[in-house]
Amino acid sequence: MSGAECREYLFKVLVIGELGVGKTSLIKRYVHQLFSQHYRATIGVDFALKVIHWDSKTLVRLQLWDIAGQERFGNMTRVYYKEAIGAFVVFDVTRNATFEAISKWKHDLDSKVKLPNGRPIPAVLLANKCDQKKEGIGNSAADMDTFCKEYGFIGWFDTSAKDNVNVDEAARFLVGNILSNDNWLPYEENDGDRIKLEQEAVAAESKTQCC
């Protein structure tokens, strides 16, 4: 297939939530199909890249930004969130306190990054560690639906990095939403502009890989 026929995108997606909810584990499972009980706590921000052959004409490079749980209390999130096009907000179903912090993470996200049309970036809520005993709201699908509607999440998934439950499905749901919603695309008027966007995306990827 020639490059002219294939559309390539680079999407920056944030993975945020409290300390110890399993953000790094979810990313490692999704990108490398690995799981360990012994990841060290992320300091600041970490990165991972997942290449998705979405269909015969669409290639998506998903740049996952693993934001440390304590960063909500710092001043750097505005820098980390810049130019993101989607987000996963993660809580631990075994610790209700991590769910109670979700509204604060979502508010922080919505206040610091927006789509070019001014709308919030699409965010998916992940109820992680669903292989373990749930505590609080994680027990009720109806309550989760209501919560997502109230706080502007496009959807939610029970996930388990350990047992590989809904990790790929959640990512595909978010990427599908981004692709189907062309409000995120700043250059849309003609093919030349689209090529310009894709060239900028590749340049941004190269820069990040060097960091």
Side-chain angles (χ1 to χ4, degrees):
M1 181 185 294
S2 72
E5 293 173 320
C6 182
R7 293 173 300 167
E8 294 190 15
Y9 300 107
L10 177 69
F11 294 155
K12 175 180 175 179
V13 170
L14 308 172
V15 185
I16 59 178
E18 293 293 277
L19 190 67
V21 296
K23 300 183 294 295
T24 302
S25 295
L26 284 167
I27 291 170
K28 297 282 189 193
R29 167 63 77 182
Y30 180 53
V31 175
H32 304 294
Q33 290 302 309
L34 296 173
F35 176 78
S36 168
Q37 300 275 16
H38 306 293
Y39 292 123
R40 58 179 174 73
T42 302
I43 307 297
V45 63
D46 204 354
F47 310 91
L49 188 72
K50 173 82 169 180
V51 178
I52 307 167
H53 296 274
W54 186 259
D55 57 33
S56 61
K57 293 185 177 179
T58 311
L59 182 84
V60 175
R61 288 182 174 87
L62 204 60
Q63 189 185 75
L64 296 155
W65 284 52
D66 181 2
I67 313 288
Q70 62 270 32
E71 286 298 325
R72 181 167 59 83
F73 306 104
N75 298 316
M76 287 297 291
T77 52
R78 189 177 299 279
V79 177
Y80 297 151
Y81 292 177
K82 191 176 180 187
E83 296 175 357
I85 214 121
F88 292 110
V89 188
V90 187
F91 74 99
D92 176 349
V93 297
T94 71
R95 293 189 292 141
N96 206 44
T98 65
F99 175 78
E100 290 167 359
I102 289 295
S103 57
K104 297 183 181 72
W105 278 101
K106 185 64 163 64
H107 178 267
D108 191 52
L109 182 71
D110 291 347
S111 68
K112 291 176 179 172
V113 63
K114 292 187 175 8
L115 295 175
N117 67 355
R119 294 174 63 92
I121 65 172
V124 175
L125 182 61
L126 301 184
N128 196 35
K129 305 188 185 180
C130 70
D131 55 285
Q132 301 179 38
K133 188 175 173 166
K134 294 182 178 180
E135 178 184 293
I137 193 172
N139 281 307
S140 168
D143 287 348
M144 289 289 287
D145 289 341
T146 302
F147 180 87
C148 285
K149 192 171 179 184
E150 181 180 349
Y151 286 94
F153 288 95
I154 61 170
W156 68 277
F157 289 82
D158 276 319
T159 57
S160 168
K162 181 181 178 184
D163 292 347
N164 198 15
V165 176
N166 284 338
V167 179
D168 287 357
E169 290 82 353
R172 193 160 184 86
F173 176 75
L174 179 60
V175 172
N177 183 276
I178 295 168
L179 284 169
S180 65
N181 179 2
D182 27 38
N183 290 325
W184 63 267
L185 193 55
Y187 300 105
E188 213 185 19
E189 292 172 7
N190 59 52
D191 289 339
D193 283 340
R194 180 179 292 145
I195 290 165
K196 180 180 176 186
L197 174 72
E198 289 166 5
Q199 287 171 342
E200 287 175 354
V202 171
E205 180 191 351
S206 303
K207 235 181 268 179
T208 306
Q209 294 297 91
C210 294
C211 292

